[in-house]
Amino acid sequence: MHTLLTESQDRDQAMANSTPLLSETVSSELGVPNNSEAGLQTLDEMIEWCVDGFGWQQFLQALLVSLAWFFDGQQACISDFSDAETPCDSASDGTIYNSIITDWGLECASSFVTGLPTSCFYLGCLIGGFAFATLADSSLGRKNLLILSCSIMSLAALATSFSPNFWVYSALRLVSGFGRASIGTSALVLSTEIVGKKSRGLIGMIGLFFGTLGLLSLPAVAYLLRDASWRYLYVSTSAPAILYCLLIFFFIRESPKWLLMQGREDEAMAILTKISPPTKHGRLKSYFLSLPNTQETTKFDLYSSIKDLFHRRWALTRLAKVIALGFGIGMMYYGMLLGVGNLGFNIYLSVTFNALLIIPSYFVSYFLLNGWNRKSTLLGFTMVSGVLSVACAFVGSGSVEIGLELASFFCTCVAYNVLVIYTIELFPTSVRNSATSMMRQAITLGVLFDPTLISAGRDIPHLTYTVFGIAIIFCGFMVLFLPETRGTTLSDTMDEQEQRDFTFNNS
């Protein structure tokens, strides 16, 4: 273990030493200011200077990459309609009869059985998250992992429409979840690594906004197909996702940060040259000329990023706190989306109202990310969300109950949005995708408890929302033990992150 730790530290030190923006020798020869004169110290700052903020090419790339969240959002909550239970007259509340429950005669089945497909989907997300966690930081990269994940999810969803029985259906939902696991993480990291810190919050919100659009599209599609089989719902959501995979294969660029960390300087320079003004190409070229040959020191093995996270005490403890935050927020966020049927309200309207609230949460989150500290924002919104959820559990049915549920869900949405950006800022490039992926797996782990909890809540009215509220309150306290990241520049290596944390703590 000591040997592995030493090798990891040596590799990070070599990488840290290999990423000065401009060496004094090259700078002086080319007539370009050196690092201290230019005020640039990292690749992140060079990219921000190079692209001059947020250009139209970056916007188009971010838009196309973020579209992956649309299909992610659809598959995450499609079981609200395909697996809907039908205990009452559809004429009175619009409950779906054309679901797997009626198709396979599961009306009298236990809550464990009816909730099994949804649990399988999120179990697949959990397994896939751990299986894919390091691939984006090591061998595959951000773009290729996004294509792979989206392809598995969409093809499995299409195959689900041909399921001959309940057990095959559940197995295919697990495979679909396995593929879906890394879509959001890969899309988020890929889109944010091409911009500077000023645009990072906006780009992150664009991706989450597309996820909301995907969720919002579900009630509309399900309502249009309410007289058809649930199988058409899977076909109509998976076919466009398959076409999207081809689109990103041909039109999306890889992250220049990841390429540079892999020693592929020529490819990184080609991408940055395309998105930067011609007047900056000379400075950009001099930056890459100043880099020594790092091909051998930057090639990671498959699990190098996980080793770095677990071998460095500060990284492991930081990751554990982020995971705790993700668990509580995830249980609350997806639990409310999946459990709206327990409120006795029209399912189409319930899902639509909750999904509509996500949109203003992005605008609120964007302004909070620019104006407030990450820690105080997360702490405040998790606490308020938990209190409102517990209050919802003990208020009788009616407009007050749905109002408290919506208010609690809105606070959870803001906390979720801020946590996503906060996690990106807490970890350096060399482990960022792995750390963000593990945070999302913590969210998935929280969701795993939701189907059973929601089913049990039909017999114990106060149970579901009480547990949601307590979970997010206790997990929210973890943010008190994390550093503040507002206004910071992203680090590239673990050593660089350590040095910045040390400097910040001493100052």
Side-chain angles (χ1 to χ4, degrees), residues 431-448:
V431 297
R432 184 172 300 123
N433 201 93
S434 298
T436 306
S437 179
M438 294 187 74
M439 180 274 291
R440 283 178 58 84
Q441 299 329 301
I443 290 175
T444 303
L445 182 61
V447 181
L448 273 178

Side-chain angles (χ1 to χ4, degrees), residues 69-123:
W69 286 84
F70 181 89
F71 305 107
D72 175 278
Q74 285 187 326
Q75 294 303 319
C77 295
I78 196 172
S79 58
D80 274 0
F81 303 99
S82 63
D83 302 6
E85 297 187 43
T86 57
C88 56
D89 186 3
S90 62
S92 63
D93 69 350
T95 303
I96 302 171
Y97 270 81
N98 296 317
S99 68
I100 65 166
I101 303 299
T102 54
D103 200 3
W104 290 318
L106 301 174
E107 292 89 344
C108 299
S110 67
S111 59
F112 172 79
V113 172
T114 56
L116 182 61
T118 302
S119 295
C120 284
F121 177 79
Y122 285 103
L123 177 61

Side-chain angles (χ1 to χ4, degrees), residues 51-66:
V51 300
D52 195 20
F54 187 38
W56 67 270
Q57 290 195 51
Q58 295 162 277
F59 177 74
L60 291 178
Q61 162 124 344
L63 208 63
L64 193 54
V65 170
S66 298

